[in-house]
Amino acid sequence: MIRENIQRILRELPGSVELVVAAKGRTAQEIQQAIEGGATIIGENYVQEAERALGRIGNRVKWHFIGHLQKNKVNKAVKIFDMIETVDSADLAEALDRVCAQENKIMPVLVEVNSGREEQKFGVIPEETETLVKRLSSLKKIKIKGLMTMGPRFGDPEAARGYFAATKKIFDHLAGLRLPGVEMQFLSMGMTNTYQVAIEEGANIVRIGSKIFGERPSKSK
Ligand SMILES: *Cc1c(COP(=O)(O)O)cnc(C)c1O
């Protein structure tokens, strides 16, 4: 089932759009099946879960961090991940930069925008995104590669369109500034319920979990 689900999604996605398989709460075996179905990027919300999965699966896929990164997990995260999609503060970015310097690694990152200005969500609010990106652009060991946003997860997908469009607008604006060290290449938006709308609004990374693996037993974030 997992294999067929992912193959169907991959056939449907435009060639310019990359699929991140959102794997939180899934077993290594389930992730394995997604890889057999064609997945090349696995998204993890928790460093510990990712460590376990990476131990079983290894580096034949790319690993993206898509959860909220706590500062005490930065050391491990730098070793594990190929991209951090959820940088939302200068503090976190500076911690990443320091550890990357120690590890002699350049880390591609996306800046997470709280496009809905939802209090319970992480991310920098839209009007502060430019200031944050400018500040982070001087860090040598992280490389800003674009933006990520969640948007509303459930309900009518059309309710997410405005948030995605607003994030795309910020993305285009930042690209136009041509900041040194900043490359606006990836716009990661859209999940199971909203990815078609997200693509229409300019996403070139979508993060899909439930449509591949089935609903999670609990609706945990
Ligand atoms: C869980 C999750 C997804 C995928 O959500 P689904 O609705 O299961 O497709 C995408 N992005 C993030 C950050 C997530 O935590």
Side-chain angles (χ1 to χ4, degrees):
M1 264 311 264
I2 291 173
R3 244 168 305 210
E4 284 161 29
N5 289 345
I6 194 164
Q7 282 165 357
R8 195 168 340 103
I9 293 167
L10 286 171
R11 273 197 302 273
E12 179 198 339
L13 292 180
S16 55
V17 176
E18 297 201 69
L19 172 64
V20 171
V21 172
K24 63 180 169 287
R26 313 298 178 174
T27 64
Q29 200 177 359
E30 288 172 298
I31 298 171
Q32 186 70 40
Q33 284 169 24
I35 294 168
E36 284 163 19
T40 57
I41 310 174
I42 309 300
E44 291 280 358
N45 291 63
Y46 304 103
V47 172
Q48 233 176 340
E49 239 182 83
E51 249 185 328
R52 235 178 294 135
L54 180 72
R56 302 278 294 277
I57 290 162
N59 274 324
R60 61 215 157 86
V61 286
K62 299 273 187 218
W63 297 85
H64 283 201
F65 188 77
I66 62 173
H68 178 64
L69 186 55
Q70 288 164 328
K71 287 252 277 314
N72 62 355
K73 298 283 165 61
V74 164
N75 272 301
K76 278 186 177 168
V78 164
K79 294 198 180 92
I80 294 175
F81 292 102
D82 300 289
M83 179 183 279
I84 309 285
E85 294 202 15
T86 48
V87 171
D88 64 354
S89 74
D91 271 6
L92 174 60
E94 282 158 12
L96 281 166
D97 190 64
R98 269 196 303 279
V99 175
C100 286
Q102 287 158 18
E103 295 287 322
N104 201 20
K105 184 169 178 176
I106 306 266
M107 179 63 79
V109 305
L110 306 182
V111 169
E112 180 176 4
V113 181
N114 183 352
S115 54
R117 294 183 181 79
E118 295 166 275
E119 265 179 43
Q120 73 278 19
K121 289 236 172 90
F122 296 105
V124 58
I125 57 172
E127 51 272 37
E128 287 171 8
T129 306
E130 180 177 337
T131 306
L132 181 63
V133 167
K134 280 180 170 162
R135 179 156 173 202
L136 304 195
S137 67
S138 64
L139 298 173
K140 295 281 182 284
K141 297 294 181 178
I142 64 169
K143 180 103 182 122
I144 298 175
K145 289 286 202 180
L147 302 180
M148 177 272 205
T149 199
M150 294 276 286
R153 174 110 178 268
F154 302 110
D156 182 358
E158 283 301 324
R161 188 181 293 279
Y163 301 108
F164 294 151
T167 308
K168 172 70 156 82
K169 210 169 152 192
I170 299 168
F171 180 89
D172 288 340
H173 171 72
L174 289 169
L177 294 179
R178 299 181 177 283
L179 299 168
V182 175
E183 197 183 345
M184 283 291 139
Q185 186 181 354
F186 298 113
L187 184 54
S188 175
M189 340 188 263
M191 303 177 267
T192 292
N193 193 35
T194 53
Y195 72 94
Q196 281 113 338
V197 171
I199 291 168
E200 285 168 15
E201 297 303 330
N204 59 12
I205 295 180
V206 293
R207 310 175 310 271
I208 300 178
S210 319
K211 193 168 181 171
I212 295 167
F213 297 112
E215 269 305 323
R216 277 181 306 284
S218 71
K219 285 233 166 95
S220 58
K221 231 169 49 116

